[in-house]
């Protein structure tokens, strides 16, 4: 799934513009106490230990501040049944995630909980409104031991990431609860491949070592090298992102020299399994089976010193074995997103070698594999401390969150749609065009929306007491949490055509990013072809007229796209820029103008892009 940056609210942009990286160097020096010794429990007795110890590794990724159960299709996982049919099972919510992890730890004296990045960012209002402090608080209570940074940890810049780690009230908005100072994360954020451009040093700890009763396991954390391409410029200003393989191999060697032979890599990059079912056997040998995507080559290049890979970013569920450079099987896992799954992996630790035994990553018994994804079921009891946490923050958010913005007749799918053209994408693009079409607002004739910026669906069923069909501010915020400022620029017809071709070519060829377009723009996408040829140029029309390569057009888009984000270099070539309201403001204004309780808005037709498969 396309990850997308957050351009922050006005209060946030002051922070991003003014703060720089001066305080980031303090990160390594101010790590949470005990970051080097993250073992749960105490030593018991003095009997001679067994030669091997089973260490339980519980992991998840891409939580994105989803404390409450995600609504609609975003809150389900696909399960393949014995007869081959699939079922959508409701899952997720931090009340259930906490219960699942606490239940899973029972009977496991050696248990570690680790995460693969994007714990925060692109968060629903309950967390995003408070700069994700509620999520960090929840992760502390869940006893998360360690996480890698993801690209979204940089949405508000390195200085804000330092605050999430070290604590302290927001520099602009202050403390949210009277008499309470934000404590920060009591687990280390790892960012081995992110360095300060000036000093060349990592902005966060590159690794940490978990220890208990003589058992030592090192964790190295990295985000994807391409983070600057999917985060706004302010978010990564002054930072350098390095190759994942080279970085992990460098620090694995360093850990090895320190006598730490058991190593797990936490990597915020992932793959695409052949099936979206969480219980798909990723090691199936049939035609078209297995996994593809960036993580495959990364896994094949990481030194055999690393024993397991916890991954993320693609929001997919998989438990795969990919051979290391020595040809030995090695586990690569991902637990979907939004806290809907967790992975339970058994690491067999040999006290004689201090290394993980992985001659057979999956045990001989198919019913007892070494690693498996589990659903975070909503049928189990809720964790009371999480229920209280959610209620406390909801009380603070309620005056803003519960305000009605509009009315709909049915679900309008965005994140939950797998089609290139999404109903919610059309709605958002239409809202941007309408708001910026007046001459004094920019004179836009067409609008583009990046698909990764659509973070949820608009769900008809009430999520609270607002009533079915009512879209609240909290729900519209969850759809577009970045609050990007809108830009209107001049682009030539030739640049527009190139931008459409960049959806399916260059860096986007392997995993296309199809722009959502406003009404009036139509064209054909022929996916039987390759690269730029997939866009049938003589079908591109605006209000029925062919795009003229030499003509200038006023184009509306968020500032992320206007900066050339997501591989759309052509969109970054705009001139005569006018900065408009935020995308969220335009979206809410459109809902208010086009819907009422008596006349709710129906999902728009998806007839702008003709797709040939």
């Amino acid at each position: 799934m396309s990850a997308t940056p957050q351009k922050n609210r006005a209060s946030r942009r002051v922070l991003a513009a003014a703060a720089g990286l001066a305080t980031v160097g303090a990160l390594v020096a101010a790590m949470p106490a005990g970051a080097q010794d993250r073992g749960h429990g105490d030593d018991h007795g003095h009997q001679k230990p067994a030669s091997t110890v089973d260490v339980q590794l519980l992991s998840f990724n891409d939580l994105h501040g989803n404390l409450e159960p995600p609504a609609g299709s975003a809150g389900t996982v696909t399960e393949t049944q014995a007869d081959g049919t699939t079922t959508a099972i409701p899952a997720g919510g931090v009340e259930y995630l906490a219960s699942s992890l606490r239940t899973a730890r029972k009977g496991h004296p050696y248990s570690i909980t680790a995460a693969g990045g994007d714990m925060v960012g692109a968060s629903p209002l309950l967390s995003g409104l408070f700069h994700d402090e509620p999520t960090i608080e929840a992760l502390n209570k869940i006893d998360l031991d360690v996480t890698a940074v993801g690209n979204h940890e940089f949405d508000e810049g390195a200085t804000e990431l330092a605050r999430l780690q070290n604590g302290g009230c927001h520099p602009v908005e202050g403390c949210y609860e009277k008499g309470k100072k934000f404590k920060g994360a009591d687990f280390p954020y790892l960012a081995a491949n992110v360095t300060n451009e000036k000093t060349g040093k990592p902005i966060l700890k590159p690794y940490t070592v978990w220890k208990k009763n003589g058992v030592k396991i090192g964790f190295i954390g990295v985000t994807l090298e391409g983070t600057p391409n999917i985060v706004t410029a302010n978010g990564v200003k002054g930072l350098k992102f390095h190759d994942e393989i080279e970085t992990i191999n460098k620090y694995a060697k360093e850990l090895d020299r320190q006598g730490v032979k058991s190593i797990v890599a936490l990597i915020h990059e992932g793959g695409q399994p052949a099936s979206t079912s969480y219980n798909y056997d990723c090691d199936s040998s049939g035609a078209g089976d297995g996994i593809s995507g960036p993580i495959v080559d990364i896994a094949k290049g990481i030194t055999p010193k690393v024993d397991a890979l916890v991954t993320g970013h693609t929001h997919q569920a998989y438990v795969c074995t990919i051979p290391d450079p020595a040809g030995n099987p090695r586990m690569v896992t991902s637990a979907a997103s939004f806290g809907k799954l967790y992975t339970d992996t058994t690491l067999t630790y040999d006290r004689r070698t201090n290394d993980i035994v992985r001659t057979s990553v999956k045990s001989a018994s198919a019913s007892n594999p070494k690693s498996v994804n589990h659903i975070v079921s909503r049928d189990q009891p809720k964790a009371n401390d999480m229920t209280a946490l959610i209620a406390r923050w909801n009380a603070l958010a309620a005056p803003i969150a519960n305000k009605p913005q509009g009315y709909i007749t049915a679900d309008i799918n965005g994140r939950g749609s797998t089609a290139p053209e999404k109903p919610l994408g059309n709605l958002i693009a239409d809202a941007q065009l309408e708001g910026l079409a007046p001459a004094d607002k920019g004179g836009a004739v067409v609008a583009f929306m990046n698909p990764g910026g659509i973070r949820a669906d608009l769900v008809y069923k009430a999520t609270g007491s607002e009533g079915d069909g009512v879209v609240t501010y909290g729900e519209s915020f969850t759809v577009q949490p970045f609050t990007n400022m809108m830009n209107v620029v001049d682009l030539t017809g030739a640049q527009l055509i190139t931008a459409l071709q960049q959806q399916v070519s260059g860096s986007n060829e392997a995993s296309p990013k199809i722009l959502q377009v406003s009404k009036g723009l139509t064209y054909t996408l022929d996916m039987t072809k390759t690269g730029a040829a997939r866009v049938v140029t003589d079908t591109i029309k605006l209000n029925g007229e062919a795009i003229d390569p030499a003509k200038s057009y006023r184009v509306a888009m968020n500032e992320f796209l206007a900066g050339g984000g997501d591989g759309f270099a052509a969109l970054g070539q705009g001139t005569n820029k006018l900065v408009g309201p935020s995308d969220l403001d335009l979206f809410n204004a459109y809902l208010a103008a086009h819907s009422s309780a008596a006349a709710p808005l129906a999902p728009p037709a998806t007839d702008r892009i003709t797709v040939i498969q």
Side-chain angles (χ1 to χ4, degrees):
M1 292 189 182
S2 172
T4 316
Q6 178 165 345
K7 188 66 176 180
N8 311 306
R9 281 167 287 234
S11 61
R12 297 186 182 184
R13 45 181 83 255
V14 174
L15 171 68
L21 288 168
T23 65
V24 179
L27 268 171
V28 176
M31 287 304 300
Q36 286 294 329
D37 189 351
R38 304 288 302 172
H40 287 310
D42 303 307
D43 293 2
H44 294 291
H46 302 283
Q47 68 269 31
K48 187 177 179 181
S51 60
T52 63
V53 174
D54 278 350
V55 178
Q56 179 189 55
L57 175 62
L58 301 175
S59 57
F60 58 98
N61 50 277
D62 295 275
L63 180 64
H64 290 287
N66 278 264
L67 301 179
E68 295 177 297
S73 61
T76 63
V77 294
T78 302
E79 180 178 75
T80 299
Q81 308 302 310
D83 62 0
T85 60
T86 59
T87 304
I89 300 177
V94 77
E95 294 160 296
Y96 304 110
L97 178 62
S99 290
S100 288
L101 294 174
R102 289 164 181 168
T103 300
R105 289 176 189 140
K106 290 176 181 175
H108 295 275
Y110 295 84
S111 183
I112 311 168
T113 303
D118 276 6
M119 294 296 97
V120 300
S123 305
L125 188 78
L126 177 60
S127 187
L129 187 65
F130 306 106
H131 297 274
D132 284 309
E133 290 181 20
T135 296
I136 298 298
E137 181 186 342
L139 293 172
N140 287 345
K141 289 178 182 291
I142 282 176
D143 288 330
L144 181 63
D145 287 302
V146 59
T147 183
V149 293
N151 54 288
H152 281 280
E153 263 82 20
F154 295 93
D155 283 347
E156 295 189 48
T159 304
E160 174 63 2
L161 175 56
R163 188 182 76 88
L164 290 181
Q165 177 72 87
N166 297 324
C169 296
H170 193 272
V172 176
E173 296 180 15
C175 299
Y176 294 110
E177 295 178 290
K178 193 173 181 180
K180 278 191 181 180
K181 182 181 175 184
F182 174 57
K183 294 179 180 178
D186 64 11
F187 51 88
Y189 260 114
L190 304 181
N193 66 330
V194 187
T195 58
N196 183 313
E197 275 185 346
K198 290 181 180 175
T199 67
K201 293 180 179 178
I203 65 159
L204 287 159
K205 284 170 65 72
Y207 60 82
T208 190
V209 179
W210 181 94
K211 301 174 186 176
K212 183 177 179 182
N213 297 352
V215 174
K216 295 186 293 185
I217 299 180
F219 288 84
I220 304 168
V222 299
T223 188
L224 69 154
E225 185 182 8
T227 291
N229 301 325
I230 52 176
V231 173
T232 48
N234 272 346
V236 295
K237 190 174 182 181
L239 304 178
K240 190 169 175 59
F241 292 77
H242 302 269
D243 181 83
E244 303 95 337
I245 298 172
E246 291 174 9
T247 303
I248 291 170
N249 289 353
K250 169 187 170 183
Y251 287 110
K253 191 179 291 185
E254 189 171 312
L255 283 166
D256 186 65
R257 283 199 302 267
Q258 295 174 15
V260 179
K261 307 296 183 182
S262 301
I263 302 172
V264 176
L266 308 175
I267 308 172
H268 192 70
E269 179 60 292
Q272 298 284 345
S275 167
T276 57
S277 292
Y278 88 95
N279 57 340
Y280 165 68
D281 182 358
C282 197
D283 292 337
S284 300
S285 57
D289 275 336
I291 187 171
S292 60
I295 199 61
V296 177
D297 287 338
I298 291 172
K300 288 178 178 176
I302 289 174
T303 172
K305 293 181 192 298
V306 174
D307 299 295
L309 279 56
V310 172
T311 73
H313 187 56
T314 57
H315 291 202
Q316 302 299 305
Y318 49 84
V319 174
C320 304
T321 52
I322 300 175
D324 68 18
N328 294 319
R330 181 166 55 192
M331 191 61 68
V332 180
T333 70
S334 174
S337 64
F338 301 170
K340 294 181 289 189
L341 298 175
Y342 72 93
T343 313
D344 189 336
T345 302
T346 301
L347 302 173
T348 301
Y349 184 93
D350 189 328
R351 288 187 179 275
R352 291 163 298 192
T353 63
N354 296 325
D355 207 349
I356 300 299
V357 180
R358 59 180 178 93
T359 49
S360 175
V361 179
K362 286 188 175 177
S363 71
S365 168
S367 63
N368 184 30
K370 290 281 188 177
S371 186
V372 65
N373 274 328
H374 295 286
I375 294 179
V376 175
S377 167
R378 297 183 195 167
D379 293 336
Q380 64 186 312
K382 296 178 180 180
N384 291 332
D385 57 340
M386 295 297 151
T387 303
L389 180 150
I390 289 169
R392 204 179 86 239
W393 287 102
N394 260 332
L396 291 173
I400 297 171
N402 296 339
K403 189 176 179 184
Q405 303 298 311
Y407 303 84
I408 55 176
T409 63
D411 289 359
I412 304 180
N413 285 340
R415 198 71 173 185
S417 169
T418 57
E421 181 184 351
K422 307 172 193 306
L424 190 50
N426 286 356
L427 183 63
I428 291 169
D430 288 350
Q432 294 175 354
L433 177 61
E434 181 170 296
L436 300 170
D440 62 336
K441 304 293 185 187
V445 296
V446 66
F448 291 130
M449 175 64 189
N450 54 311
I454 307 168
R455 304 303 299 186
D457 303 333
L458 279 186
V459 178
Y460 176 79
K461 185 175 173 56
T463 54
S465 59
E466 75 275 13
D468 291 348
V470 180
V471 179
T472 64
Y473 184 86
E475 290 167 335
S476 63
F477 181 96
T478 299
V479 168
Q480 290 196 102
F482 301 111
T483 52
N484 276 303
M485 302 309 289
M486 291 300 300
N487 289 181
V488 185
V489 300
D490 286 339
L491 287 171
T492 65
Q495 288 168 326
L496 277 182
I497 293 167
T498 299
L500 292 176
Q501 292 170 333
Q502 286 171 345
Q503 300 175 112
V504 289
S505 63
S507 61
N508 292 332
E509 179 160 8
S511 183
K513 292 187 174 74
I514 306 304
L515 294 165
Q516 306 300 287
V517 300
S518 56
K519 59 187 173 187
L521 185 71
T522 56
Y523 70 96
T524 296
L525 199 56
D526 186 350
M527 297 306 288
T528 66
K529 294 186 165 63
T530 58
R534 289 166 164 172
V535 175
V536 185
T537 52
D538 59 8
T539 66
I540 305 173
K541 293 181 180 179
L542 183 59
N543 300 320
E545 291 185 11
I547 293 286
D548 181 348
K551 186 178 172 183
S552 179
Y553 296 85
R554 293 290 283 166
V555 182
M557 61 192 122
N558 61 48
E559 59 195 334
F560 171 64
L561 281 178
D566 265 354
F568 291 102
L571 296 181
Q573 296 167 356
T575 58
N576 194 21
K577 180 171 75 173
L578 181 143
V579 178
S582 76
D583 50 9
L584 181 60
D585 286 345
L586 289 181
F587 185 53
N588 285 332
Y590 188 88
L591 289 172
H594 292 273
S595 69
S596 66
L601 191 68
T606 49
D607 54 4
R608 301 169 190 182
I609 306 171
T610 301
V611 181
I612 301 171
Q613 295 285 10

